[in-house]
Coordinates of all heavy atoms in Angstrom, one line a residue:
V24 N -0.1 17.0 -3.2 CA 0.5 15.8 -3.7 C 1.1 14.9 -2.6 O 0.9 13.7 -2.5 CB 1.6 16.1 -4.8 CG1 2.4 14.9 -5.2 CG2 0.9 16.7 -6.0
T25 N 1.8 15.6 -1.7 CA 2.4 14.9 -0.5 C 1.3 14.2 0.3 O 1.4 13.1 0.7 CB 3.2 15.9 0.4 OG1 4.2 16.4 -0.5 CG2 3.8 15.2 1.6
W26 N 0.2 15.0 0.6 CA -0.9 14.4 1.4 C -1.5 13.2 0.7 O -1.8 12.2 1.3 CB -1.9 15.5 1.7 CG -3.1 15.0 2.5 CD1 -3.2 14.8 3.8 CD2 -4.3 14.5 1.9 NE1 -4.4 14.2 4.2 CE2 -5.1 14.1 3.0 CE3 -4.9 14.5 0.7 CZ2 -6.4 13.6 2.9 CZ3 -6.2 14.0 0.5 CH2 -6.9 13.6 1.6
L27 N -1.8 13.3 -0.6 CA -2.4 12.2 -1.4 C -1.5 11.0 -1.3 O -2.0 9.9 -1.1 CB -2.7 12.6 -2.8 CG -3.8 13.6 -3.0 CD1 -3.9 14.1 -4.5 CD2 -5.2 12.9 -2.7
N28 N -0.2 11.2 -1.5 CA 0.8 10.1 -1.5 C 0.8 9.4 -0.1 O 0.7 8.2 0.0 CB 2.2 10.6 -1.8 CG 3.2 9.5 -1.9 OD1 2.9 8.5 -2.4 ND2 4.3 9.7 -1.3
E29 N 0.8 10.2 1.0 CA 0.9 9.6 2.3 C -0.4 8.9 2.8 O -0.3 7.9 3.5 CB 1.3 10.7 3.3 CG 2.7 11.2 3.1 CD 3.0 12.4 4.0 OE1 2.1 13.0 4.7 OE2 4.2 12.8 4.0
T30 N -1.5 9.5 2.4 CA -2.8 9.0 2.9 C -3.5 7.9 2.0 O -4.2 7.1 2.5 CB -3.8 10.1 3.2 OG1 -4.0 10.8 2.0 CG2 -3.2 11.0 4.3
I31 N -3.2 8.1 0.7 CA -4.0 7.2 -0.2 C -3.0 6.2 -0.9 O -3.2 5.0 -0.8 CB -4.8 8.0 -1.2 CG1 -5.8 8.8 -0.5 CG2 -5.4 7.1 -2.2 CD1 -6.6 9.8 -1.3
V32 N -2.1 6.7 -1.6 CA -1.2 5.9 -2.5 C -0.4 4.9 -1.7 O -0.5 3.7 -2.0 CB -0.2 6.8 -3.3 CG1 0.8 5.9 -4.1 CG2 -1.0 7.7 -4.3
Q33 N 0.3 5.3 -0.6 CA 1.0 4.3 0.2 C 0.2 3.3 0.9 O 0.6 2.2 1.2 CB 1.9 5.1 1.1 CG 3.1 5.8 0.4 CD 3.9 6.6 1.4 OE1 3.8 6.5 2.6 NE2 4.8 7.4 0.8
G34 N -1.1 3.7 1.2 CA -1.9 2.8 1.9 C -2.6 1.8 1.0 O -3.0 0.7 1.4
V35 N -2.9 2.2 -0.2 CA -3.6 1.3 -1.1 C -2.7 0.5 -2.0 O -2.8 -0.8 -2.1 CB -4.5 2.1 -2.1 CG1 -5.1 1.3 -3.1 CG2 -5.5 2.9 -1.2
W36 N -1.6 1.1 -2.5 CA -0.7 0.3 -3.4 C 0.5 -0.1 -2.7 O 1.5 0.6 -2.8 CB -0.4 1.2 -4.7 CG -1.5 1.3 -5.6 CD1 -2.0 0.3 -6.4 CD2 -2.4 2.4 -5.8 NE1 -3.1 0.7 -7.1 CE2 -3.4 2.0 -6.8 CE3 -2.5 3.6 -5.2 CZ2 -4.4 2.8 -7.2 CZ3 -3.5 4.5 -5.6 CH2 -4.4 4.1 -6.6
T37 N 0.4 -1.1 -2.0 CA 1.6 -1.6 -1.3 C 1.9 -3.0 -1.8 O 1.0 -3.8 -2.2 CB 1.4 -1.7 0.2 OG1 0.2 -2.5 0.5 CG2 1.1 -0.3 0.8
D38 N 3.2 -3.4 -1.8 CA 3.6 -4.7 -2.2 C 3.2 -5.7 -1.1 O 3.3 -5.4 0.1 CB 5.1 -4.8 -2.4 CG 5.5 -4.0 -3.6 OD1 4.8 -3.9 -4.6 OD2 6.6 -3.5 -3.6
P39 N 2.7 -6.9 -1.5 CA 2.3 -7.9 -0.5 C 3.6 -8.4 0.2 O 4.7 -8.5 -0.4 CB 1.7 -9.0 -1.4 CG 2.2 -8.8 -2.7 CD 2.5 -7.3 -2.9
K40 N 3.5 -8.8 1.4 CA 4.6 -9.4 2.1 C 4.4 -10.9 2.3 O 3.4 -11.4 2.7 CB 4.6 -8.7 3.6 CG 4.6 -7.2 3.6 CD 6.0 -6.7 3.3 CE 6.2 -5.3 3.5 NZ 6.1 -4.5 2.3
C41 N 5.4 -11.6 1.9 CA 5.4 -13.0 2.1 C 5.4 -13.3 3.6 O 6.2 -12.8 4.4 CB 6.7 -13.7 1.5 SG 6.7 -15.5 1.6
G42 N 4.4 -14.1 4.0 CA 4.3 -14.5 5.4 C 3.2 -13.8 6.1 O 3.0 -13.9 7.3
D43 N 2.3 -13.1 5.3 CA 1.2 -12.4 6.0 C -0.1 -13.2 6.0 O -1.2 -12.8 6.2 CB 0.9 -11.0 5.3 CG 0.5 -11.2 3.8 OD1 0.4 -12.3 3.3 OD2 0.2 -10.1 3.2
S44 N 0.0 -14.5 5.7 CA -1.1 -15.5 5.7 C -2.1 -15.4 4.6 O -3.1 -15.9 4.6 CB -1.8 -15.5 7.1 OG -0.9 -15.7 8.1
Y45 N -1.7 -14.6 3.5 CA -2.6 -14.5 2.4 C -1.8 -14.6 1.1 O -0.8 -13.9 1.0 CB -3.4 -13.2 2.4 CG -4.4 -13.1 1.3 CD1 -5.6 -13.8 1.4 CD2 -4.2 -12.4 0.1 CE1 -6.6 -13.8 0.4 CE2 -5.1 -12.4 -0.9 CZ -6.3 -13.0 -0.8 OH -7.2 -13.0 -1.8
C46 N -2.2 -15.4 0.2 CA -1.5 -15.6 -1.1 C -2.1 -14.6 -2.1 O -3.2 -14.8 -2.6 CB -1.6 -17.0 -1.6 SG -0.6 -17.2 -3.2

Side-chain angles (χ1 to χ4, degrees):
V24 171
T25 299
W26 178 81
L27 286 171
N28 182 46
E29 290 173 354
T30 59
I31 297 173
V32 175
Q33 291 179 7
V35 174
W36 287 284
T37 58
D38 290 329
K40 304 282 188 261
C41 183
D43 65 359
S44 301
Y45 185 80
C46 183

